Amino acid sequence: MPGPLAALPWGQVARFTVVGGVNTATFYACYLPLHRLLPYFAAYTAGFVLSLVGSFFLNTYFTYRTRPTWKKFLLFPLTQVTNYAVQSAGLVALVSWWGMNSVAAPLAAALLALPVTFVVSRRILRPPARRGGGPDQGGRPDQTEPPVRSGRPA
């Protein structure tokens, strides 16, 4: 009997991790120069906000292979609010409680937030199909969104 890990969409997990790496590099490239000018938490917040839009498009097109919509775009900040809360708590704990260097702490906090952020972003960008709502039951015939096709063979 397969365990709960067998049900995970491992391709999405791998792509989400890659996007997370790119997004973290983008964030860190903003954070480091701002860290010289601002207190660490203000620099962290500014870097986080600047990387938000890029993260949305990378996750819709690459991670979940779905189309971006205004609804998803407007809901996507909820994934980032979750990510921001988990990372912020981790950042403050790492710097204030455990004395970690404030230059390295955002990277560790980002790693700690990955599992929670994956679950929330998947729920918003690839919502589960509704059950029992097919065309013969008064629902829309297409309950799930088709994936974005790249033109490359699968």
Side-chain angles (χ1 to χ4, degrees), residues 4-118:
L5 290 179
L8 279 174
W10 287 107
Q12 287 178 1
V13 171
R15 291 188 303 270
F16 183 80
T17 303
V18 169
V19 168
V22 169
N23 194 46
T24 300
T26 302
F27 156 77
Y28 208 52
C30 296
Y31 174 77
L32 285 178
L34 291 172
H35 184 264
R36 294 183 191 132
L37 304 170
L38 304 169
Y40 77 91
F41 201 77
Y44 166 78
T45 301
F48 192 92
V49 169
L50 291 171
S51 63
L52 178 70
V53 173
S55 178
F56 170 75
F57 286 107
L58 286 171
N59 276 300
T60 53
Y61 284 120
F62 180 68
T63 302
Y64 301 110
R65 298 186 176 165
T66 186
R67 288 177 175 81
T69 65
W70 281 109
K71 180 181 179 181
K72 290 176 188 175
F73 183 76
L74 295 173
L75 288 174
F76 188 71
L78 295 176
T79 70
Q80 297 304 302
V81 166
T82 302
N83 189 28
Y84 183 78
V86 173
Q87 282 192 34
S88 295
L91 177 69
V92 171
L94 291 169
V95 172
S96 298
W97 299 345
W98 289 300
M100 186 176 216
N101 181 297
S102 64
V103 172
L107 297 175
L111 288 174
L112 295 172
L114 268 174
V116 175
T117 306
F118 174 77

